[in-house]
Amino acid sequence: MIWTVPRAAVLAAALALYGCVYYPPPGYPVMAPASFDRSFDAAASAMRDQGLAVNVEDRASGTIVGTQGAGTVSASVRRQADGSVRVQFDATGPRDPALIDRVSRSYDARMGR
């Protein structure tokens, strides 16, 4: 009888800890798989962040086209066979050669990377 109470207390404590859920501390990035909609919205917003006027935003085809002066930046958002999403930025005739890099960095920031 003497050992029954301590054993029961240890068993109760173990069962209580078993039901606990761990949450990451606030501010710690939680990586989630990218969805098509989230990626498409982030690509369009990244282009706007960098001052591009978005002229085409066709979610069905996954195409976004923005212009800034004589430069054009296009984004292609595609679902891949494995379920992942691929986003590709291309630029033509930009006056600012670093524009595509800034758009890409803005996209990464919006995706939490």
Side-chain angles (χ1 to χ4, degrees):
M1 183 84 161
I2 295 174
W3 291 104
T4 306
V5 174
R7 286 183 185 169
V10 168
L11 179 61
L15 289 175
L17 288 175
Y18 182 73
C20 292
V21 178
Y22 170 76
Y23 295 100
Y28 184 77
V30 177
M31 298 304 286
S35 71
F36 178 87
D37 290 331
R38 181 172 175 237
S39 298
F40 187 89
D41 292 339
S45 295
M47 292 170 84
R48 288 186 187 95
D49 289 348
Q50 298 307 316
L52 289 145
V54 176
N55 304 322
V56 176
E57 194 168 343
D58 186 2
R59 191 176 298 269
S61 69
T63 303
I64 306 163
V65 179
T67 58
Q68 185 181 59
T72 301
V73 176
S74 61
S76 173
V77 183
R78 302 281 184 258
R79 287 186 182 97
Q80 299 192 120
D82 65 356
S84 63
V85 177
R86 181 172 188 239
V87 178
Q88 179 175 337
F89 294 101
D90 294 301
T92 56
R95 292 181 186 166
D96 181 0
L99 177 61
I100 192 93
D101 292 329
R102 290 196 314 272
V103 170
S104 181
R105 282 194 306 269
S106 184
Y107 170 78
D108 287 342
R110 285 184 166 276
M111 292 299 288
R113 298 179 186 155

